[in-house]
Amino acid sequence: MCRTGCPTQDHATWGECARAANLRVAYCGIGGGDATEQKRWDNDLALYRSARAQGIQPDGTTRPKVMAALKASEQAGAAYGRDFSAAAPMPEGA
Ligand SMILES: [Zn+2]
C-alpha cells in the first residue's frame, strides 16, 4: 500500500505511508521561531510538493489548504483531489 515514491516501501497502509512522509516534512519545518518569510514560503512549498508527490491535489499552495488536503487524505486513506474530493468546510482556526 506504499506510495510509489516511498523510500522504504514497508508501510501497512497508504495513510501510514503518507503520515511517515508528512512527519518528515513537518519535522524539517520546525526550525525555531526565527524562520524568515522566505523560509516559511519554502516550507509551504515543500509541504505542497510532498502532498503532490503522494498524488494529493490541494486546493491551493498555502499551508492551511495543503494541511486540510493532507488531513482529508489521511482520514480517507486516499489521495484528496485525485481519489476523491470533498466540499467540506475548512477546519476552524486552520
Ligand atoms: Zn511507505
Side-chain angles (χ1 to χ4, degrees):
M1 283 300 289
C2 272
R3 301 162 303 121
T4 48
C6 178
T8 55
Q9 297 287 327
D10 64 349
H11 299 106
T13 66
W14 188 96
E16 190 180 318
C17 188
R19 198 175 310 123
N22 293 341
L23 283 176
R24 217 161 34 238
V25 170
Y27 182 77
C28 290
I30 302 170
D34 62 344
T36 63
E37 190 67 25
Q38 178 63 43
K39 243 206 169 88
R40 217 145 36 116
W41 173 243
D42 286 346
N43 286 341
D44 283 3
L45 272 186
L47 190 67
Y48 177 76
R49 272 199 294 267
S50 168
R52 290 304 304 263
Q54 295 163 48
I56 297 169
Q57 292 172 16
D59 296 330
T61 57
T62 57
R63 179 166 292 254
K65 288 190 171 172
V66 176
M67 287 305 293
L70 287 171
K71 259 184 211 152
S73 298
E74 186 171 316
Q75 279 165 9
Y80 177 88
R82 184 193 66 183
D83 298 333
F84 76 103
S85 65
M90 295 290 290
E92 291 290 327

